[in-house]
Amino acid sequence: MTKQDLRRFIRAQKKEHAAAQLAAMSEEITNRVFASAWWQEASTLLLYYPLSDEVDVRPLIREAFEEGKRVLLPVVKGEELELHLYEGESSLRKGAFGIMEPQGPLFAPEHYDEIDVAIIPGMAFDGAGHRLGRGKGFYDRLLPKLESAKLVGVCWPFQLLDEVPSEPHDISVEEVIS
């Protein structure tokens, strides 16, 4: 299957699941993240504010913020993702593609080595950590800059495939939680 075919297949799979089913699967995934040693040890986390068709990681954002961890969320700027400090739910505004984005200070690229864990969304992942994104390349451009962060993909079980097409320049995640 081509990447476009896989995206169509995953979109169809998402439509076959009720919102309550997706919410229950998201809760299972966030509970696995909470239980991991790397989550508990991390002090700076990159997360994402989910779209309605992505694993709901808002409990991770809230819990990390309440625990005093530094939480970063991406902001779309042109063709790139900037990382900004999350300063609570009231600091979010609707940005590009309808995604809620933090209005907190910019987290400068020269500090990316301080990010302990990056939780990454995807249309699909495989067991080798290959990721299929939405096709705009935002994370393809960001992930190479996160050299010292543990990269963790999160997806619903039907998004974990036997094989995801990848290119030599693609950055794989180290772990997939589904």
Side-chain angles (χ1 to χ4, degrees):
M1 269 196 217
T2 67
K3 289 182 178 184
Q4 276 308 105
D5 291 337
L6 276 177
R7 287 185 186 101
R8 276 192 288 277
F9 171 76
I10 294 296
R11 281 188 203 99
Q13 291 289 306
K14 288 177 183 180
K15 289 177 183 174
E16 291 183 15
H17 292 81
Q21 290 175 300
L22 297 176
M25 287 187 279
S26 288
E27 184 176 351
E28 288 179 31
I29 291 165
T30 58
N31 287 339
R32 286 191 194 109
V33 171
F34 284 138
S36 69
W38 46 261
W39 172 268
Q40 294 168 22
E41 295 167 5
S43 60
T44 301
L45 297 152
L46 169 60
L47 291 151
Y48 64 92
Y49 201 92
L51 292 168
S52 62
D53 69 342
E54 293 178 323
V55 172
D56 186 356
V57 296
R58 290 176 297 177
L60 298 175
I61 295 169
R62 284 191 293 273
E63 182 71 23
F65 182 70
E66 289 170 9
E67 288 179 6
K69 296 177 187 273
R70 186 165 43 177
V71 177
L72 306 171
L73 297 177
V75 171
V76 175
K77 292 289 183 187
E79 296 295 312
E80 301 293 324
L81 291 179
E82 288 184 351
L83 305 183
H84 286 255
L85 190 63
Y86 172 78
E87 297 179 311
E89 202 71 22
S90 64
S91 72
L92 296 171
R93 300 288 178 274
K94 193 170 281 195
F97 308 107
I99 301 169
M100 298 302 285
E101 297 178 339
Q103 303 302 298
L106 174 68
F107 190 75
E110 59 265 22
H111 297 290
Y112 284 5
D113 63 342
E114 297 172 23
I115 300 170
D116 300 308
V117 175
I119 306 284
I120 309 297
M123 290 292 287
F125 292 92
D126 65 21
H130 299 127
R131 175 185 171 275
L132 176 68
R134 292 182 178 269
K136 303 259 189 234
F138 287 109
Y139 278 95
D140 292 333
R141 290 184 288 280
L142 175 65
L143 294 180
K145 301 173 188 174
L146 305 180
E147 295 176 13
S148 59
K150 178 177 180 69
L151 304 179
V152 179
V154 291
C155 65
W156 292 310
F158 60 84
Q159 294 175 284
L160 187 57
L161 307 177
D162 290 336
E163 185 177 355
V164 169
S166 68
E167 309 291 327
H169 64 272
D170 288 338
I171 305 292
S172 297
V173 297
E174 296 170 50
E175 186 172 342
V176 178
I177 298 182
S178 67

